[in-house]
Amino acid sequence: MQVAYDLLSPLHAARHAAPNLAAFVPPVLLMHGTADKSVPVASSLLLSDALTAAGVDCSVQLLPGKTHTDLLLEDALGGGRDILSDSILGCITGREEVSDHPSMCPKPLVRIAGRVCPF
């Protein structure tokens, strides 16, 4: 089991990175919801520390109350502000972005999907 973890873990890879890793990796933004029950917030903090120690420009954005799927499913489908898109565009453009898009799905269905999602 440990061998599989070592082969697949981004944290393991960052901790055992080649000395010149930073020359090949662009700046990294890790986004993590504080209500994520699938992956602990500490995982992103540890990965950020490991990447920073390897010389990679890395930052973490903690999103209060967001779960593992909010950014990819509920927020994107429900309409309004999409923090994931705003953050990615902000990284690219260097400006604060604030989106407001229409709902792609009726809000009650989005809420139900969020409750039955195993993540």
Side-chain angles (χ1 to χ4, degrees), residues 97-118:
E97 301 287 336
V98 179
S99 61
D100 185 20
H101 62 85
S103 176
M104 293 188 268
C105 190
K107 291 204 185 278
L109 287 178
V110 173
R111 282 193 295 275
I112 289 169
R115 287 196 180 112
V116 300
C117 180

Side-chain angles (χ1 to χ4, degrees), residues 70-106:
D70 277 345
L71 297 173
L72 298 172
L73 297 175
E74 289 90 333
D75 289 354
L77 292 175
R81 182 159 190 212
D82 184 343
I83 295 173
L84 180 62
S85 293
D86 291 350
S87 295
I88 292 169
L89 287 172
C91 282
I92 294 168
T93 64
R95 299 185 311 263
E96 182 178 346
E97 301 287 336
V98 179
S99 61
D100 185 20
H101 62 85
S103 176
M104 293 188 268
C105 190

Side-chain angles (χ1 to χ4, degrees), residues 19-57:
N20 61 346
L21 174 71
F24 300 98
V25 177
V28 173
L29 170 63
L30 301 173
M31 300 175 69
H32 206 118
T34 60
D36 190 334
K37 294 180 180 134
S38 298
V39 179
V41 170
S43 296
S44 285
L45 300 175
L46 289 170
L47 180 56
S48 176
D49 289 347
L51 288 169
T52 300
V56 175
D57 179 11

